[in-house]
Amino acid sequence: MKTIIEKVDSENPQKYEAVFMKAASVIKNGGLVAFPTETVYGLGANALDPIAVKKIYTAKGRPSDNPLIVHISDVTELNDVVVDVSEKAEKIINAFWPGPITIIFKKRELIPMETSGGLSTVAVRFPENETARFFIKKCGVPIAAPSANSSGKPSPTKAEHVKFDLDSRIDMIIDGGACKFGLESTIIDVSSEIPCLLRPGSVTKDMIEGIIGEINVDKAVLEKLSENEKPKAPGMKYKHYSPKADVKIVKGNAVDVAEKINAIVRENMIKGIKTGVIATEQTRDMYKCDNILVIGSLNNPEEIASNLFDVLRKCDSFEVSQVFVEAFDEDGVGMAIMNRLKKAAGYNIINV
Ligand code: AMP
Ligand code: MG
């Protein structure tokens, strides 16, 4: 299959009517279209069409028990797909939609089991990105969309990442430039008395608690689960975000971390193992390594979040076999950054 790639101006999608007409016709015919959102690129199909939805799993190599997020173009479309919108859900919607937070609801019959991964609940998001909204509106149906990457790889934050992973496996890519936040949406389940954070993102725990009071955090967000434990978001059990290299997180004060990493880089050089370091603007000069990737400034965690997946993908182009990355503070968006890094590293953390 030839994948059509069309560039649009993310802020003014209306100028590209013909592109969206074409994308909508692909969706109506049961095809797949990758599109930008403020979190990461999504791989969209008609959420009501089980055959179209199955193609998403095939194109990504995604396990079929990992449900998809259903995207709507207006909050008024929510009641078409879910039942029982609780008071707490309403508060979250009013505070953060449109935006980078996904809410779990009881699903309506018309959402097929293929979309919900066999669950009786469905995850819904109303994105803020104008291109995403214009695309969904033109399609006239809710759009099921996981991240538009090969399963297990870092999520795509640029159209080129989608092309790299899925070229010739999907019908179309709408290129709307780099994604604003660069981390997948926060996921919250409000079905229990105390709501539970299933995946941290750019809408942080503190921001949610500021609106609805105390919430729990699913254990899978913070640590590796044992064999017999299950995360509440099925997708959190899969290895994720991994470049080809082995990733290791090094935790401690900056001087000790740099000393430890430099020692390993030296040893690796003797052994002929090509090594990379992911550093910040503040720490880059502390490393003696040929392959340093700067992820952003320690004073700007949002910048680190938005560069994270791009930097993990660049590790592959450096062709390193081991990558060391400093641990970040887990406050605010740091919880989401460290959640993704821990998964990329298979929870491999060196404490110094
Ligand atoms: P992705 O769209 O690739 O970012 O993945 C969607 C994430 O949402 C996965 O981790 C899923 O397991 C999670 N998810 C989707 N629907 C549900 C649901 N009904 N209940 C719990 N988690 C869900
Ligand atoms: Mg994903």
Side-chain angles (χ1 to χ4, degrees):
M1 164 191 315
K2 176 154 173 49
T3 302
I4 305 164
I5 305 178
E6 296 281 3
K7 253 197 163 75
V8 300
D9 171 359
S10 220
E11 315 247 298
N12 291 299
Q14 301 80 356
K15 284 196 200 153
Y16 299 81
E17 182 78 22
V19 170
F20 290 92
M21 294 298 282
K22 198 191 295 178
S25 103
V26 169
I27 293 292
K28 281 172 196 153
N29 288 316
L32 304 183
V33 176
F35 63 102
T37 79
E38 69 275 23
T39 59
V40 300
Y41 272 74
L43 179 59
N46 177 356
L48 311 181
D49 176 350
I51 297 167
V53 162
K54 273 190 182 160
K55 291 183 190 164
I56 293 182
Y57 289 92
T58 307
K60 280 179 60 79
R62 183 177 175 104
S64 61
D65 69 345
N66 189 2
L68 309 176
I69 295 173
V70 171
H71 294 69
I72 54 178
S73 70
D74 195 278
V75 74
T76 55
E77 294 157 20
L78 179 64
N79 282 315
D80 300 340
V81 288
V82 310
V83 287
D84 295 344
V85 178
S86 69
E87 208 177 298
K88 281 185 178 162
E90 292 261 13
K91 284 187 179 165
I92 294 173
I93 289 169
N94 290 335
F96 304 114
W97 272 9
I101 184 164
T102 296
I103 309 170
I104 311 286
F105 299 95
K106 221 165 126 196
K107 77 174 188 69
R108 280 198 189 274
E109 278 279 312
L110 97 164
I111 297 289
M113 284 297 180
E114 284 76 3
T115 300
S116 69
L119 301 175
S120 58
T121 53
V122 64
V124 184
R125 189 160 93 82
F126 172 26
E128 156 200 304
N129 180 288
E130 294 287 344
T131 301
R133 281 155 64 169
F134 196 61
F135 163 63
I136 303 164
K137 185 139 253 148
K138 283 281 171 216
C139 294
V141 287
I143 297 293
S147 49
N149 53 325
S150 289
S151 230
K153 289 278 153 212
S155 294
T157 55
K158 295 176 177 171
E160 71 201 53
H161 300 158
V162 182
K163 181 171 167 15
F164 187 85
D165 281 12
L166 300 177
D167 196 17
S168 80
R169 303 173 71 88
I170 63 176
D171 299 279
M172 186 170 175
I173 301 171
I174 301 174
D175 179 354
C179 300
K180 177 173 158 189
F181 294 110
L183 286 181
E184 307 90 338
S185 58
T186 304
I187 303 180
I188 183 129
D189 181 350
V190 288
S191 64
S192 48
E193 185 49 33
I194 302 184
C196 188
L197 186 73
L198 307 191
R199 178 171 74 183
S202 301
V203 175
T204 65
K205 177 172 182 273
D206 290 350
M207 287 160 74
I208 301 169
E209 288 185 329
I211 302 294
I212 57 167
E214 193 198 351
I215 61 170
N216 290 327
V217 178
D218 191 35
K219 197 175 165 197
V221 167
L222 303 168
E223 57 191 274
K224 187 175 183 176
L225 298 183
S226 59
E227 287 287 309
N228 49 12
E229 287 176 306
K230 266 195 188 160
K232 289 213 174 84
M236 296 287 279
K237 71 173 171 269
Y238 296 107
K239 189 169 190 297
H240 239 111
Y241 314 122
S242 334
K244 288 191 198 111
D246 267 348
V247 180
K248 290 190 174 73
I249 300 170
V250 186
K251 192 171 177 181
N253 79 58
V255 175
D256 294 343
V257 167
E259 213 168 88
K260 177 75 184 173
I261 293 178
N262 284 332
I264 298 173
V265 170
R266 262 196 317 271
E267 273 169 39
N268 279 355
M269 210 179 320
I270 295 164
K271 292 184 201 155
I273 299 170
K274 199 170 170 190
T275 312
V277 175
I278 297 176
T280 60
E281 277 164 24
Q282 287 79 6
T283 58
R284 63 188 301 169
D285 292 336
M286 297 166 76
Y287 294 101
K288 294 188 181 66
C289 179
D290 292 336
N291 309 296
I292 297 178
L293 287 154
V294 177
I295 195 169
S297 165
L298 282 170
N299 303 325
N300 189 352
E302 283 74 23
E303 179 191 28
I304 291 177
S306 73
N307 288 333
L308 177 64
F309 292 140
D310 193 40
V311 163
L312 286 175
R313 280 178 177 265
K314 281 195 177 125
C315 294
D316 281 347
S317 57
F318 273 35
E319 294 184 327
V320 291
S321 337
Q322 288 184 14
V323 175
F324 292 87
V325 54
E326 301 161 7
F328 296 101
D329 194 350
E330 298 201 36
D331 281 351
V333 75
M335 185 194 273
I337 295 170
M338 284 306 292
N339 167 260
R340 306 312 192 269
L341 274 180
K342 283 178 199 166
K343 297 190 81 168
Y347 297 88
N348 213 325
I349 303 176
I350 302 170
N351 287 295
V352 292

